[in-house]
Amino acid sequence: MIDSADNATHSLPVTGATRLHFSDHARTTFTVDLGQDLLGDWILTQTWGGSRQRGGGKRLVVDGHEAGLQMLQKIAEKKERSGYDQVHPYHVRSHWL
């Protein structure tokens, strides 16, 4: 139970995290996650990698759930224009396979 007198404690997030996976079918993958951290901040996390490139990632605090969803939409549109297709998570192939 959350102590309502404690201003530093937040309730657990009620909306689930959102994850999108993309692949260019050349064994390169890109994943973007939107979720809340333990302090209640919305975090957008991007990770990428593949057999022909070094992997990487970055995290960004966004101004709330709606702002994060808008960023997810923009990222998805950009990836699709760049030749990536959105794939279901179990279709993402690791470059170690």
Side-chain angles (χ1 to χ4, degrees), residues 20-36:
L20 300 177
H21 293 280
F22 299 90
S23 174
D24 69 354
H25 303 289
R27 300 177 72 110
T28 302
T29 60
F30 181 87
T31 303
V32 61
D33 292 294
L34 176 64
Q36 279 185 291

Side-chain angles (χ1 to χ4, degrees), residues 9 17 19 29 31 34 37 39 47-49 51 67 76 83 87-88:
T9 304
R19 173 176 282 173
T29 60
T31 303
L34 176 64
D37 65 10
L39 299 175
T47 56
W48 54 86
S51 60
V87 294
H88 195 277

Side-chain angles (χ1 to χ4, degrees), residues 17-83:
T18 303
R19 173 176 282 173
L20 300 177
H21 293 280
F22 299 90
S23 174
D24 69 354
H25 303 289
R27 300 177 72 110
T28 302
T29 60
F30 181 87
T31 303
V32 61
D33 292 294
L34 176 64
Q36 279 185 291
D37 65 10
L38 292 175
L39 299 175
D41 293 324
W42 285 95
I43 309 293
L44 189 73
T45 304
Q46 300 175 60
T47 56
W48 54 86
S51 60
R52 296 184 183 107
Q53 71 180 33
R54 188 175 193 170
K58 63 181 176 179
R59 294 173 49 103
L60 177 68
V61 178
V62 296
D63 291 330
H65 186 247
E66 286 300 317
L69 290 175
Q70 289 174 1
M71 290 185 74
L72 278 175
Q73 181 65 33
K74 288 179 183 178
I75 290 168
E77 291 169 359
K78 181 177 179 181
K79 286 297 169 189
E80 289 171 1
R81 281 193 309 267
S82 298

